[in-house]
Amino acid sequence: MLLPANYESLTPAQAIACHQDMRRHINISHLDKPISIIGGADISINKHEETQYAGIVLFTYPELKIIGQTSAVWRTSFPYIPGLLAFREVPALLEAWNKLEIKPDLMILDGQGIAHEQRMGLATHFGLLTDVPSIGSAKNRLNGKYNEPANEHFAQSYLYDQNEVIGVALRSKKNCKPIFVSPGHKVDMQQSIDIIKNCIRGYRIPEPTRHAHNFVNQVRLAHGDKSNAQLSMF
DNA sequence: GCGACAG
DNA sequence: ATCTTGTCGC
């Protein structure tokens, strides 16, 4: 596929054209290779700055013991645009990815996989660039229609775009809104659902992305983010 | 024109 | 995404 030298200067129209080219290489099929290491990734930012703190946490699977982590500080001016999140977050995530001594068998990203208008959500985009199996686990829906899953642990309801199943609304925890799971690359729908279920440990968010989120947040604060300082002088 | 809209 | 106090429900 033909990739832009840098994502910074892309116009939204060029980014969408890039997605159209990349989508031809998406491979949604069963992953036969056994999974022993899973990685979770996320980014933390200061609302009013362009600095991004990206991080990846590695876990043994299915035990989910943390065995490593890397982080990276990046800067981007590409804005958040629904549907084009990958162009804003992937560069920073790749920086953290390149620092990993050991690469995981599969990655879980905080966003959509193929549950995207061009089937090019963050997880799919990242999977294509790194050639690693990936799954998208989003806290909110971006594309597709679904019926509200029953209020029971692991109740689920498929996400449809026309007649195509592009993901699933999964009730990862009773009395909590569902999460939206979709395969990213080199893994199939059922496998994605099963893996995410195996990563739930009493919280709404699966452990890999939950820990990655906490990790990058700490990295940001430790790096000197003053935005959270309290005005307690008086 | 209006509503929807991952992080 | 980030910040934040109280509030509601299992």
Side-chain angles (χ1 to χ4, degrees), chain A residues 56 70 72 91-101 103 126 130:
Chain A
I56 293 177
T70 59
L93 292 176
L94 288 180
E95 202 69 6
W97 173 260
N98 292 330
K99 290 184 179 179
L100 288 174
E101 298 275 345
K103 306 301 184 189
F126 184 87
T130 59

Side-chain angles (χ1 to χ4, degrees), chain A residues 97-159:
Chain A
W97 173 260
N98 292 330
K99 290 184 179 179
L100 288 174
E101 298 275 345
I102 301 175
K103 306 301 184 189
D105 300 306
L106 179 145
M107 282 290 291
I108 296 178
L109 289 288
D110 188 24
Q112 316 293 340
I114 60 171
H116 178 283
E117 195 169 22
Q118 282 86 228
R119 306 293 177 268
M120 284 297 300
L122 174 66
T124 302
H125 196 127
F126 184 87
L128 281 168
L129 295 189
T130 59
D131 194 40
V132 69
S134 63
I135 298 173
S137 176
K139 296 182 292 299
N140 290 287
R141 180 200 71 94
L142 170 65
N143 186 34
K145 298 178 179 178
Y146 70 102
N147 294 313
E148 201 62 32
N151 185 22
E152 296 170 11
H153 185 55
F154 284 172
Q156 67 172 67
S157 185
Y158 286 113
L159 242 189

